[in-house]
Amino acid sequence: GFWLLWVSVTAWAQPVTNLSVLSFNVLVAGQRGLGNITEAIRRSGADVVGLQEIASSPAAISQVATSLGFHTLPGLPILSRYPIRGTAGLGTSEVQNGATIELTPGQRIHLFNCHLAPYPYGPYFLRDGQSVDAVIDLEVATRLPQMTSLLAMAAPYLALDEPCFLPGDFNAPSQVDY
């Protein structure tokens, strides 16, 4: 007779200790070309990518993922070198979306990707003579509710003993824009 020895290689997989996360706003549904988007991601060496301004084009997301040999889920603007095990309770809206990604068996991360409202834009208010207080009120009324909603949905994952990432286009100007 003979012996058959079957061993699962994944059971011995070493944990991932170096992970590259990219936030990439592809501008207006990737009108600069999917080949350019794919090449930029490839050159970056990113393992996980949160895309912004492409959620309206699920076919484009899928095409970029396929070209890279990455994982995605239908309509989810997140790409991963590692398997995506499901949405992280956030769905696939342009404003907020998330995924649970399995790096190795038993090793997961959660990525929450967002694209907050681009307008109204604070620096334009200042340029047009509005006060700093008016700009702060604008941010509180426009983007803060979106961020509060995203963080509320992410809260169960943030409470886990697993890494969480938040790439995105926050459309909130930095202090140098003022």
Side-chain angles (χ1 to χ4, degrees):
F2 68 93
W3 291 89
L4 177 62
L5 177 63
W6 179 76
V7 177
S8 172
V9 174
T10 59
W12 292 340
Q14 293 295 315
V16 173
T17 58
N18 188 10
L19 185 73
S20 177
V21 177
L22 173 67
S23 182
F24 189 7
N25 184 323
V26 301
L27 298 173
V28 193
Q31 290 180 357
R32 297 200 177 191
L34 297 182
N36 290 333
I37 293 167
T38 301
E39 188 59 24
I41 294 169
R42 181 176 285 115
R43 287 184 184 193
S44 78
D47 298 306
V48 180
V49 183
L51 297 170
Q52 298 88 43
E53 295 195 24
I54 198 168
S56 63
S57 182
I61 297 167
S62 180
Q63 184 177 339
V64 171
T66 299
S67 296
L68 292 166
F70 277 28
H71 301 269
T72 191
L73 294 176
L76 184 70
I78 294 173
L79 310 176
S80 174
R81 197 177 297 278
Y82 303 98
I84 297 175
R85 296 300 183 204
T87 59
L90 299 176
T92 58
S93 76
E94 174 69 16
V95 173
Q96 56 194 20
N97 50 78
T100 296
I101 298 167
E102 185 177 51
L103 304 179
T104 61
Q107 184 186 22
R108 301 183 321 172
I109 66 163
H110 308 281
L111 184 124
F112 308 98
N113 184 44
C114 71
H115 184 228
L116 303 183
Y119 299 105
Y121 190 60
Y124 298 161
F125 268 47
L126 288 176
R127 177 196 64 200
D128 297 340
Q130 297 290 323
S131 70
V132 171
D133 287 340
V135 173
I136 291 170
D137 290 345
L138 168 80
E139 292 297 324
V140 168
T142 305
R143 285 171 266 293
L144 185 59
Q146 293 175 333
M147 186 54 78
T148 300
S149 175
L150 182 139
L151 292 174
M153 285 192 266
Y157 303 95
L158 296 171
L160 298 173
D161 189 23
E162 297 174 329
C164 295
F165 299 89
L166 177 59
D169 181 349
F170 300 94
N171 280 306
S174 73
Q175 76 279 9
V176 297
D177 291 325
Y178 293 104

